[in-house]
Amino acid sequence: MITNADIQEISGTAGNFSVKVLRRPRYVDEAKCTGCGVCSQYCPVTLPDPHNQYLSPKKAIDILYTQAIPSKYFVNPDYCLFLNRQECKQCTRACQTGAIDFDQKPEVAVYHVGAVILSAGFKQSDPARIKAYRCKDSPNIVTGLEFERISSASGPYMGKILRPSDSEKPGRIAFIQCAGSRGSASGNSYCSSVCCKYAVKDAIVALEHEPDLDITIFFMDMRMHGKGLESFYERAKESGIHFIRSRVSEVRRDPQTEDLILKYVTEDGSLHQDIFNLVVLPMGLEAPEGNFTLAKAAAVELNHHGFCRTGLFDPLFTSREGIYVAGGFRGPMPLPDSVMQASGTAACVTELLAPARGTLISEKTFIEERPVKQEPLRIGVFVCNCGKNIAGVVDVEDVKKYAATLPDVVVSTDNLYSCSEDTQVLIKETVVNEKLNRVVVAACTPRTHEPLFQETIREAGLNRCLVEMVNIRDQCSWVHAHEKEEATQKSKDLIRMAVAKARLIRSLDEPVIDVIPRGLVIGGGLAGMTAALSLAGQGLECYLVEKTAKLGGNLHNIHYTLEGENPQDYLKTIVDRVRNHGLIHVFMEAEIESVNGFVGNFQTVVKSGRGPEKKTVELQHGAIILATGAMAFRPDEYLYGKSGHVILQHELEERLASGSFVPTGDDTIVMIQCVGSRDDSHMYCSSICCSMAIKNALKIKEINPSANVYVLYRDMGTYGFHEAYYTRAREQGVVFIRYDRDKKPEVAEVDGRLRITIKDLLIDNDVVIHADLLALSTAIVPQRDDTLERVLAMPRSADGFLLESHVQLKPVDSYIDGIFICGMAHFPKPIDESIAQAKAAASKAGILLARGHVRVEPIVSSCDPDKCIGCGICEYFCPYNAIKMTKKGKLKKAEVIVAACKGCGVCASYCPARAISMGRFTDEQILAQIEAFGRN
């Protein structure tokens, strides 16, 4: 890892680049620095802390933030007394390891690499550019990032919601949306995509910290596109957060009280004024100045917003072959998209460098595992504050002291973030120094963090299974946010139960299983074909199964794009590439009949073809990528299916593209948004409908500028750079009229034309539109396949889409090892996002297939053959087909397929002979937990 560095030049060609890097001096030897922080304590120079948004001081020698990687200190050369005046050197004398090195000089190094990924990030726009908000007049006008730090436990106020002017708790807080975006005042005409989401999140977090806060969010459109976010918005409203659709025209400081006076215009045109104690500006995001330098060094093109220029069908490619882009360097985006793009670019690199895969690497080695069976029990308990997430509700100090009183606990301590690098060092040192042989971590969910702690104790010489996690965040501080005493008591109960179990846990082996180096992609749409081509590009053989008679899926319904690229040309190209690739085996008109096996070793029976050519084959493969797609919802309202004048958006596109509908100057076309979407039938925003409507509206205007086009909407969701097309549509005369969810437009057919009545909220009166054509923007709903769902047993979210392992951090991993998801089967998304996610899924699958083996988690069940009576109940109830009955002598016995077992325990619960037990969840351990619970 090379930090504190700038790219000066990238020369060469794809597969053989030379990268010149300037590394600025840290003035601290990373190899010697232990991150103890003593140097910082002795440093006499303080300066504003940029990580805390300049709301608190830090020292001239410091660490960037608690979880920084590497966890090493650095000297700020602009403030250091020695570097500027040859004075001080207190840090040198304080450092016990001799890590301070003022002789360090800037270094230029050249690295030879085959590919480059640019992921340089973004910055928030400057609030001072919005003159009407007078940010410099009051410290109580803070940006979204400043408010994030204010509400953070590691922030300037230790997580207390205080206003900067007087450190008093603000009773009323206002959030003003679209500050620094969607407007000429800030210079950023696009939508930053994430501001609505993080404003709602910050408001909810603030309420969790201080339940009596009065919070109002002023907004133009709430853009809560993405999985589960519309429900999040509804939850915010239910929790008491006020939402006012308006434009804030002025923020003025009251010099007597330091309060802030807001003037705003609501949707009905009336002017209001209100007073708040604190104003938060969730600023839009923009390209940092460094983008231009980096782009010049890498010789890649930027768009006119200063972000990397990419193509709709090549979202991860820069203008230079072999250099790829992910995350904020491409544009503002939420966390899951950044994660997907990072994985997707890894796939791009792997395709480019496929012949070199597996070279220049070495396997990580561990110290020999310490046998602990004969040792007396010595348990260490580590309680996490998780910033304010846990400590804001749970009394961590009290919990830590309580844990120290439990049997066999010899160490009980707490830390700010258990997942940080310095805490891993602390845990390892404590395990060694205190000779711990069991570890209990009370923190967040084991689903995401248990592997980290298992790795940590393994590096300390303990078996991975000697750690026990307690979730006191999700199960205590989050669900009991308003019951602090009860949350603290529950944390104690859970830790007491975990310690009781930890006293009985044992070292377990991790079986290693070979992987079949072939993949199976189910679904031949854009995402499925992209994933298959990526796997093949990585040198991996794969099968592509498509249910219909042609490849392409929903791409057949897209005839033009806002960006101007031709989807049908691309469709033809990608279909040809798939069909002609030697490593891709395509099965058309094919259905999955059964899937057996487990990660690395699947057997899938596929029936394909029709009539006499119908055939059945069994495929052997190591991974599965699900790209089964989605489709437009067909409503039973607005006369759809009853009037020939009412069609869906993609049907309108088909008519416009084919020329079967040529709008004239007398034609009136109306579009209704959010049909069957964001309501009780489908409680989510489908993300693509607004852009699709804008696209068709612009196409109509392009064909005939005199045609009348009306778009009836609730919130326009043209996020990202699509905002420019929304603006263009207004400029070209498309009329937008907003309606409320509780007051939908009414449609009737009168004398061969449609009569659409809508209450215009601006004039507070009904408007009647006589239309020739009505296009409905309906929800996108998942494709369902009963057979596939039965054989795969894939869980789905409340929205009906395939459920990912973690919505933020593992957006393409499913709950079943070896199965990955992408495209609209996961959630509705536009073309570029589908391609990026398909690449990400192929990246994940490719890692598994190329590694050649998989380690099985030792939580699996095991069967005692002496107790097994061969009844087969366990095989019948196992949801993962992880048990088979085998004949041993004259008797049948249950045999566990360890790679398929998920450790759910269903088999053990049904076993009448108690022959089955679970690794890490034995009856003895569970009973000990129950008994410990009853001891309260």
Side-chain angles (χ1 to χ4, degrees):
M1 183 180 295
I2 306 163
T3 58
N4 211 27
D6 294 316
I7 302 295
Q8 289 195 320
E9 183 184 4
I10 300 177
S11 58
T13 57
N16 187 20
F17 287 115
S18 295
V19 182
K20 186 186 289 185
V21 178
L22 169 66
R23 189 171 193 184
R24 298 182 297 278
R26 179 185 283 267
Y27 302 112
V28 174
D29 187 334
E30 290 183 40
K32 294 180 179 177
C33 178
T34 62
C36 67
V38 173
C39 55
S40 184
Q41 294 173 13
Y42 280 86
C43 177
V45 180
T46 58
L47 57 140
D49 183 356
H51 177 62
N52 273 336
Q53 299 297 302
Y54 307 101
L55 294 170
S56 66
K58 67 180 301 180
K59 295 296 184 66
I61 181 167
D62 216 322
I63 194 168
L64 190 58
Y65 54 93
T66 307
Q67 294 164 297
I69 298 175
S71 183
K72 309 293 181 184
Y73 279 64
F74 73 97
V75 176
N76 189 320
D78 296 332
Y79 292 87
C80 174
L81 292 177
F82 178 76
L83 290 174
N84 289 281
R85 304 200 310 235
Q86 297 293 302
E87 298 174 357
C88 188
K89 273 195 152 182
Q90 292 279 12
C91 54
T92 306
R93 288 185 282 276
C95 180
Q96 298 297 307
T97 63
I100 312 300
D101 181 6
F102 284 113
D103 292 330
Q104 287 186 357
K105 305 292 181 190
E107 296 177 355
V108 175
V110 176
Y111 298 88
H112 299 288
V113 300
V116 178
I117 298 173
L118 303 178
S119 54
F122 43 64
K123 69 166 188 173
Q124 69 173 3
S125 60
D126 182 1
R129 293 209 298 259
I130 310 173
K131 306 296 184 188
Y133 295 166
R134 299 187 178 94
C135 299
K136 292 185 177 178
D137 289 356
S138 170
N140 295 332
I141 304 174
V142 300
T143 67
L145 280 180
E146 288 171 336
F147 191 72
E148 288 255 8
R149 296 312 303 156
I150 287 174
S151 56
S152 171
S154 59
Y157 309 139
M158 307 298 287
K160 292 182 179 178
I161 308 296
L162 304 176
R163 65 179 193 172
S165 68
D166 51 13
S167 297
E168 293 290 328
K169 176 183 165 185
R172 303 192 71 203
I173 301 176
F175 286 72
I176 304 176
Q177 297 305 106
C178 297
S181 63
R182 300 185 68 191
S184 57
S186 65
N188 296 325
S189 57
Y190 54 85
C191 164
S192 292
S193 303
V194 299
C195 318
C196 287
K197 300 166 188 173
Y198 85 74
V200 172
K201 180 206 72 174
D202 283 349
I204 288 179
V205 169
L207 271 188
E208 289 172 350
H209 289 198
E210 303 289 351
D212 57 342
L213 289 176
D214 182 353
I215 299 177
T216 301
I217 296 181
F218 296 89
F219 71 102
M220 294 196 294
D221 296 291
M222 285 308 294
R223 295 183 168 176
M224 301 298 284
H225 54 278
K227 205 167 190 177
L229 293 172
E230 188 70 23
S231 298
F232 193 56
Y233 175 32
E234 292 298 319
R235 176 186 154 196
K237 288 191 280 189
E238 290 168 3
S239 67
I241 297 170
H242 310 292
F243 290 83
I244 299 179
R245 193 181 298 272
S246 58
R247 294 297 299 269
V248 177
S249 58
E250 182 185 73
V251 180
R252 183 161 44 85
R253 167 177 166 261
D254 182 340
Q256 302 297 320
T257 63
E258 292 297 335
D259 289 337
L260 298 155
I261 303 163
L262 267 66
K263 283 185 179 177
Y264 59 94
V265 181
T266 51
E267 196 172 17
D268 59 2
S270 57
L271 182 64
H272 301 262
Q273 180 170 299
D274 209 345
I275 299 174
F276 292 87
N277 309 116
L278 184 71
V279 168
V280 182
L281 304 177
M283 298 304 299
L285 307 175
E286 63 186 22
E289 292 77 8
N291 273 16
F292 298 95
T293 306
L294 179 58
K296 185 179 180 182
V300 301
E301 295 178 11
L302 301 179
N303 62 23
H304 66 276
H305 299 299
F307 294 103
C308 187
R309 183 184 300 281
T310 58
L312 180 65
F313 297 106
D314 297 305
L316 307 177
F317 289 69
T318 69
S319 55
R320 185 175 177 185
E321 187 182 2
I323 300 183
Y324 307 96
V325 56
F329 189 60
R330 183 172 175 265
M333 65 188 65
L335 181 59
D337 289 307
S338 289
V339 172
M340 282 189 276
Q341 290 183 14
S343 293
T345 49
C348 296
V349 171
T350 308
E351 293 170 39
L352 176 66
L353 306 180
R357 189 167 197 164
T359 63
L360 301 176
I361 61 170
S362 58
E363 189 171 352
K364 183 177 181 179
T365 57
F366 295 94
I367 62 174
E368 189 175 351
E369 197 170 295
R370 195 175 98 211
V372 300
K373 190 173 182 181
Q374 303 301 323
E375 294 180 0
L377 286 169
R378 293 183 64 81
I379 302 174
V381 178
F382 299 85
V383 186
C384 182
N385 287 266
C386 196
K388 200 70 176 178
N389 266 310
I390 293 173
V393 177
V394 174
D395 186 341
V396 171
E397 182 67 20
D398 190 27
V399 170
K400 179 185 73 174
K401 290 178 181 176
Y402 172 77
T405 68
L406 296 171
D408 300 317
V409 172
V410 295
V411 172
S412 178
T413 186
D414 71 301
N415 39 74
L416 190 58
Y417 292 103
S418 291
C419 56
S420 65
E421 186 180 350
D422 60 329
T423 302
Q424 305 318 299
V425 174
L426 170 72
I427 292 175
K428 277 188 281 190
E429 290 177 349
T430 309
V431 167
V432 173
N433 296 337
E434 299 293 334
K435 299 188 184 328
L436 301 180
N437 48 33
R438 306 289 190 279
V439 170
V440 173
V441 179
C444 54
T445 171
R447 196 171 66 183
T448 54
H449 285 79
E450 191 172 57
L452 171 68
F453 300 117
Q454 289 177 331
E455 187 85 353
T456 297
I457 68 164
R458 182 63 192 88
E459 290 175 358
L462 290 181
N463 182 275
R464 295 177 197 272
C465 296
L466 295 177
V467 64
E468 185 68 19
M469 273 198 78
V470 185
N471 189 345
I472 61 171
R473 187 189 67 176
D474 305 32
Q475 297 170 6
C476 289
S477 63
W478 280 6
V479 295
H480 304 296
H482 306 308
E483 303 163 302
K484 297 190 176 185
E485 289 186 13
E486 289 81 357
T488 300
Q489 183 57 49
K490 185 177 176 181
S491 297
K492 292 179 182 177
D493 293 342
L494 291 173
I495 291 176
R496 183 174 65 251
M497 294 166 69
V499 169
K501 181 185 173 187
R503 299 174 71 202
L504 299 172
I505 57 180
R506 300 284 181 267
S507 300
L508 296 172
D509 294 329
E510 293 176 282
V512 177
I513 297 171
D514 290 338
V515 169
I516 300 171
R518 287 189 293 274
L520 168 68
V521 180
I522 303 176
L526 175 61
M529 289 192 292
T530 302
L533 280 171
S534 181
L535 284 177
Q538 296 174 46
L540 298 164
E541 190 176 2
C542 71
Y543 307 107
L544 177 60
V545 175
E546 166 55 33
K547 194 172 185 177
T548 69
K550 60 181 180 181
L551 296 171
N554 285 309
L555 198 54
H556 285 284
N557 300 325
I558 303 175
H559 301 276
Y560 44 85
T561 64
L562 281 170
E563 295 81 0
E565 298 183 56
N566 190 322
Q568 293 306 306
D569 285 351
Y570 183 77
L571 175 60
K572 183 177 183 306
T573 301
I574 192 172
V575 169
D576 288 344
R577 287 179 61 202
V578 167
R579 288 196 172 280
N580 295 320
H581 204 296
L583 291 177
I584 302 176
H585 309 283
V586 181
F587 295 86
M588 300 300 299
E589 297 180 277
E591 294 185 352
I592 304 294
E593 291 220 318
S594 67
V595 178
N596 291 307
F598 43 85
V599 55
N601 291 265
F602 290 106
Q603 301 89 41
T604 299
V605 175
V606 178
K607 185 176 285 187
S608 63
R610 64 169 65 176
E613 295 181 355
K614 203 165 192 173
K615 60 182 180 182
T616 301
V617 295
E618 182 178 291
L619 308 176
Q620 310 280 333
H621 51 96
I624 298 173
I625 295 176
L626 289 173
T628 49
M631 59 185 180
F633 171 65
R634 295 189 178 277
D636 58 359
E637 57 183 339
Y638 299 128
L639 298 181
Y640 180 74
K642 298 173 184 173
S643 168
H645 299 289
V646 182
I647 59 178
L648 303 185
Q649 278 290 357
H650 74 267
E651 294 166 341
L652 172 60
E653 182 171 340
E654 166 69 29
R655 293 189 187 188
L656 290 169
S658 65
S660 61
F661 171 56
V662 180
T664 67
D666 295 330
D667 281 332
T668 297
I669 301 97
V670 176
M671 302 174 184
I672 300 180
Q673 303 301 107
C674 296
V675 178
S677 181
R678 302 177 65 206
D679 59 16
D680 293 338
S681 58
H682 305 100
M683 184 49 78
Y684 55 86
C685 166
S686 294
S687 305
I688 60 175
C689 321
C690 285
S691 291
M692 195 171 176
I694 295 290
K695 180 182 72 171
N696 286 341
L698 286 172
K699 177 59 73 175
I700 291 169
K701 286 291 186 181
E702 176 187 322
I703 296 171
N704 193 327
S706 299
N708 303 301
V709 183
Y710 294 83
V711 179
L712 315 184
Y713 72 102
R714 288 171 54 195
D715 293 276
M716 282 309 294
T718 45
Y719 62 92
F721 301 139
H722 280 188
E723 182 71 13
Y725 302 104
Y726 178 29
T727 303
R728 185 186 301 174
R730 296 199 303 270
E731 290 171 347
Q732 294 189 5
V734 178
V735 178
F736 292 83
I737 303 176
R738 208 186 75 76
Y739 71 92
D740 264 343
R741 173 180 167 178
D742 298 330
K743 187 67 177 174
K744 291 183 175 181
E746 295 177 359
V747 179
E749 192 164 23
V750 179
D751 298 331
R753 294 189 77 192
L754 296 172
R755 186 182 67 193
I756 301 167
T757 307
I758 179 173
K759 182 172 184 179
D760 189 329
L761 300 171
L762 183 62
I763 60 176
D764 195 26
N765 214 336
D766 284 348
V767 172
V768 177
I769 307 169
H770 297 282
D772 302 283
L773 196 61
L774 172 61
L776 304 178
S777 296
T778 62
I780 305 299
V781 296
Q783 294 274 8
R784 305 300 290 259
D785 183 326
D786 294 340
T787 303
L788 191 60
E789 293 189 19
R790 177 176 52 78
V791 299
L792 282 179
M794 284 285 294
R796 290 182 179 269
S797 64
D799 300 330
F801 294 94
L802 295 175
L803 185 62
E804 67 284 298
S805 177
H806 190 286
V807 68
Q808 302 278 5
L809 303 178
K810 292 186 175 181
V812 300
D813 298 76
S814 77
Y815 272 82
I816 301 176
D817 291 342
I819 300 181
F820 307 93
I821 54 182
C822 64
M824 295 216 288
H826 168 257
F827 197 71
K829 51 180 66 70
I831 288 173
D832 52 348
E833 293 177 22
S834 286
I835 291 173
Q837 193 180 25
K839 288 274 191 180
S843 176
K844 291 276 190 172
I847 292 170
L848 168 67
L849 299 177
R851 186 190 298 133
H853 68 271
V854 60
R855 291 185 180 276
V856 179
E857 285 292 317
I859 57 171
V860 298
S861 62
S862 60
C863 180
D864 184 343
D866 293 335
K867 292 183 180 178
C868 178
I869 59 175
C871 63
I873 291 177
C874 52
E875 182 186 32
Y876 177 80
F877 281 106
C878 176
Y880 301 104
N881 298 320
I883 295 183
K884 63 180 180 180
M885 303 305 295
T886 58
K887 206 161 187 180
K888 295 188 176 178
K890 296 182 178 179
L891 302 175
K892 280 189 172 182
K893 300 289 182 182
E895 182 181 337
V896 177
I897 305 167
V898 292
C901 179
K902 303 298 294 179
C904 68
V906 169
C907 54
S909 66
Y910 277 101
C911 179
R914 292 182 176 274
I916 295 181
S917 61
M918 308 302 301
R920 301 184 64 195
F921 294 94
T922 65
D923 288 350
E924 185 186 21
Q925 293 166 1
I926 294 172
L927 288 171
Q929 283 186 289
I930 296 171
E931 187 182 337
F933 172 71
R935 252 186 259 134
N936 181 20

